[in-house]
Amino acid sequence: MKLYLYNTQGKSKQEFKPQSKSGVKVYMCGPTVYWYPHIGNLRTYVNNDILLRVLRYNGFKVKTVMNITDVGHLVGDRDMGEDKMEKAAREKKVNIWDIAKKYTNYFWYATGALNIKKPDIVCKATDYIKPMISLVEKLEQKGYTYKTKDGIYFDTSKFKDYGKLASLDVEGLQEGARVEANPEKKNPTDFALWKFAKKGEQRQMEWSSPWGQHSFPGWHIECSAMAMETLGESLDIHTGGIEHIPVHHTNEIAQSEAATGKKFVNFWFHSNHLLVDGRKMSKSLKNIFILDDLLKKGFDPLALRYFYLSAHYRSKLNFTWKALSGAQKALDNLRKLIKEEAGLLGDSNIKIKELKDKFLEALNDDLNTSQALAVVWEVAKSGLPLEKKLTLIKEWDQVLGLDLLKDKKQEEVPVAVLNLVKQREEARKNKQWQEADKLRKKIEELGWQAEDTSKGTKVSKL
Ligand code: AMP
Ligand code: ZN
């Protein structure tokens, strides 16, 4: 069966074909680790996870890379304002590397709890400074760059198809250019490849480069350099949230293709946003939630995953506590129903092959997860013999990742708790007692306790 995915480049559903049989190369824009990933961010990563699972279910071999942005992402996406990481470290008066570590750990804990598989390769931006410098040098040699007081910039007027991904009205932007943060910029769409620390600015993260002593990479160059270093010059799929289309991904294409002369990405996969009570999540509205907020209220993290899957990844999705409760109830009922011997409909004549086709058809139509869930419900309610039902749903759950066969009575230790226990063990190994204590409290908040025994940590219900 053919797999169709919506491609932002071309704005249509297209049949997915990898460049080579050896494996589908997927690069995913990862988190900026200056704060906790919120449930909006997590929606994007669950959508990515479904994409990867569907590719594998279709028999493709997949190689996945995700970056961790631990430097260079400025408060304003258009190279304005302070570095988000430096700002967080300054405000909290802590070491920047500790901030990066703390929130990276939280990211793996939260994504693990949501059954998101870890990528094959994880790249921290700060580990890839050399290839980033080489890429900027290459662009410099090819005449795409110019220098201003605050950095090395990419001249977008020199790249023929600049803005195609987002259908940007580049000329309109030129004419209507507002007062720019950097008046030395030749075009409003030009962006920083490499930045210089401001005079008197004390950065915790900076490197010497061919362009100066106290400098650091621009956010966009990071993704291009890491993607090409790990996957080669042409990728099959690149993912991210929709707000990356007009700036971050537009700039990634320009600088990568200007450097290599090759098409950078075949399929652009973009997730739409999660809203809260119909509004954008923002600190001022106090409507940003993280996974722990849900766990403290007793929700199963997979109820959140179920909630995400009930909508199409290209639609906006509105989060309310009521909707999450609905998802929790639906998931509990579904798990119960699956294990019941005689289905409600009493129809045992359904053909397994037809059901499998229906399930795959839904997913292969640009990941129609709500339709796929409807097929699961149909089977759960059907009169299929229990053994067949369980076999089928076990197979499908490899794609959905909802632990549909989980038995509530068994009270397994949730992944979220296990991840905290692992982090606590690491903190204890490094003699970070305060951190270990904080983690113990977090474990307790989730209703579990960690005891240290000679055989390691024993975890039990409080
Ligand atoms: P960041 O850590 O800010 O770089 O964002 C991580 C990922 O989350 C990016 O791919 C964003 O596009 C995505 N994202 C940010 N806000 C939302 C939201 N409200 N809903 C869904 N995805 C989001
Ligand atoms: Zn990126």
Side-chain angles (χ1 to χ4, degrees):
M1 203 184 288
K2 289 176 180 172
L3 167 62
Y4 288 88
L5 294 174
Y6 183 87
N7 189 349
T8 309
Q9 186 128 40
K11 297 185 185 55
S12 58
K13 271 192 223 174
Q14 298 168 6
E15 185 188 344
F16 174 74
K17 283 190 191 144
Q19 301 170 75
S20 116
K21 285 208 172 72
S22 65
V24 181
K25 300 182 207 170
V26 184
Y27 182 86
M28 300 174 276
C29 277
T32 309
V33 284
Y34 69 108
W35 203 63
Y36 299 101
H38 55 60
I39 57 172
N41 302 132
L42 293 174
R43 180 185 185 205
T44 288
Y45 296 110
V46 165
N47 288 338
N48 288 346
D49 185 60
I50 291 288
L51 166 70
L52 302 175
R53 286 172 184 252
V54 168
L55 285 166
R56 292 192 176 107
Y57 194 58
N58 275 277
F60 293 113
K61 240 170 77 185
V62 187
K63 186 172 177 192
T64 59
V65 177
M66 185 190 283
N67 69 294
I68 299 288
T69 302
D70 52 359
V71 65
H73 192 171
L74 304 189
V75 172
D77 281 354
R78 284 194 188 275
D79 315 308
M80 288 169 298
E82 209 175 339
D83 186 322
K84 290 186 182 186
M85 294 290 300
E86 294 281 344
K87 184 168 182 268
R90 184 174 52 73
E91 285 172 358
K92 295 191 178 111
K93 296 192 175 57
V94 282
N95 181 296
I96 200 162
W97 300 96
D98 290 343
I99 293 235
K101 194 157 182 231
K102 174 176 172 181
Y103 295 116
T104 304
N105 279 342
Y106 189 91
F107 179 78
W108 297 126
Y109 145 75
T111 48
L114 284 166
N115 273 352
I116 296 171
K117 292 196 174 136
K118 211 166 171 181
D120 299 322
I121 299 176
V122 176
C123 336
K124 276 195 325 190
T126 47
D127 286 340
Y128 285 76
I129 299 295
K130 253 196 183 158
M132 291 172 199
I133 292 179
S134 306
L135 188 53
V136 179
E137 283 180 320
K138 205 164 171 185
L139 291 167
E140 197 171 39
Q141 281 151 21
K142 291 193 166 194
Y144 283 99
T145 66
Y146 62 93
K147 191 172 176 180
T148 75
K149 273 197 228 70
D150 79 350
I152 303 294
Y153 278 74
F154 184 94
D155 185 343
T156 52
S157 67
K158 296 208 167 142
F159 184 71
K160 196 170 135 269
D161 284 331
Y162 184 83
K164 205 169 161 195
L165 180 75
S167 308
L168 287 187
D169 173 12
V170 176
E171 277 169 25
L173 277 171
Q174 293 274 26
E175 282 164 19
R178 285 169 288 125
V179 184
E180 280 291 335
N182 179 354
E184 291 177 89
K185 260 165 76 165
K186 293 185 182 169
N187 309 284
T189 45
D190 292 356
F191 57 91
L193 296 163
W194 206 262
K195 293 276 287 183
F196 309 140
K198 285 197 194 85
K199 261 210 177 110
E201 184 190 11
Q202 280 293 317
R203 286 183 61 93
Q204 293 192 50
M205 282 181 180
E206 56 177 33
W207 291 264
S208 72
S209 69
W211 308 283
Q213 281 247 305
H214 307 282
S215 64
F216 59 100
W219 174 38
H220 320 299
I221 201 75
E222 296 180 0
C223 282
S224 289
M226 289 186 281
M228 292 204 267
E229 189 72 8
T230 50
L231 292 169
E233 292 176 341
S234 290
L235 319 176
D236 290 294
I237 304 178
H238 191 316
T239 74
I242 47 164
E243 85 283 11
H244 288 343
I245 300 170
V247 181
H248 185 50
H249 290 164
T250 289
N251 294 347
E252 274 191 48
I253 294 175
Q255 65 204 0
S256 307
E257 298 192 355
T260 66
K262 292 183 191 154
K263 189 170 183 190
F264 180 44
V265 171
N266 276 339
F267 271 79
W268 283 96
F269 177 88
H270 288 109
S271 284
N272 208 326
H273 279 175
L274 183 79
L275 307 178
V276 175
D277 291 323
R279 296 204 272 185
K280 190 175 182 281
M281 271 184 278
S282 77
K283 281 195 177 144
S284 58
L285 290 173
K286 294 201 174 67
N287 66 355
I288 299 182
F289 300 115
I290 63 168
L291 186 69
D292 282 6
D293 296 322
L294 276 58
L295 301 184
K296 278 179 206 156
K297 285 181 186 265
F299 287 102
D300 175 344
L302 296 182
L304 182 63
R305 185 170 170 113
Y306 186 99
F307 172 65
Y308 294 146
L309 299 194
S310 64
H312 192 260
Y313 75 91
R314 282 195 291 118
S315 311
K316 285 194 174 56
L317 176 62
N318 189 32
F319 175 87
T320 60
W321 290 104
K322 201 169 156 210
L324 186 64
S325 297
Q328 179 75 70
K329 270 192 207 120
L331 181 61
D332 290 346
N333 283 342
L334 184 58
R335 283 175 176 159
K336 204 165 127 244
L337 210 54
I338 285 167
K339 285 174 211 96
E340 277 174 15
E341 183 68 59
L344 300 175
L345 302 180
D347 176 8
S348 59
N349 293 324
I350 328 172
K351 294 205 176 65
I352 302 278
K353 163 94 177 62
E354 278 171 24
L355 287 167
K356 280 193 177 185
D357 283 353
K358 225 162 130 179
F359 180 79
L360 188 59
E361 244 166 54
L363 291 171
N364 280 5
D365 180 14
D366 194 28
L367 315 187
N368 192 337
T369 45
S370 63
Q371 191 58 40
L373 278 175
V375 183
V376 176
W377 275 98
E378 186 185 333
V379 167
K381 287 182 192 164
S382 77
L384 268 186
L386 187 60
E387 205 183 310
K388 281 193 178 158
K389 206 157 91 165
L390 294 178
T391 311
L392 197 53
I393 289 188
K394 190 172 173 195
E395 180 186 314
W396 289 349
D397 205 24
Q398 284 173 23
V399 189
L400 301 171
L402 289 168
D403 291 357
L404 290 172
L405 301 185
K406 187 173 138 180
D407 198 340
K408 226 184 161 192
K409 277 175 250 134
Q410 280 173 1
E411 276 291 10
E412 286 170 38
V413 186
V415 188
V417 173
L418 288 177
N419 282 345
L420 285 173
V421 169
K422 238 191 272 163
Q423 281 175 37
R424 186 171 165 271
E425 279 171 351
E426 203 187 319
R428 282 172 56 82
K429 217 167 62 196
N430 297 332
K431 301 198 173 14
Q432 297 167 319
W433 309 118
Q434 263 188 338
E435 180 65 14
D437 257 8
K438 266 194 219 156
L439 288 162
R440 174 200 290 284
K441 280 199 192 107
K442 259 178 139 182
I443 293 167
E444 286 171 2
E445 275 171 11
L446 300 182
W448 294 79
Q449 65 182 352
E451 281 169 81
D452 304 309
T453 71
S454 55
K455 285 185 194 147
T457 319
K458 197 178 142 218
V459 190
S460 56
K461 219 66 216 149
L462 259 182

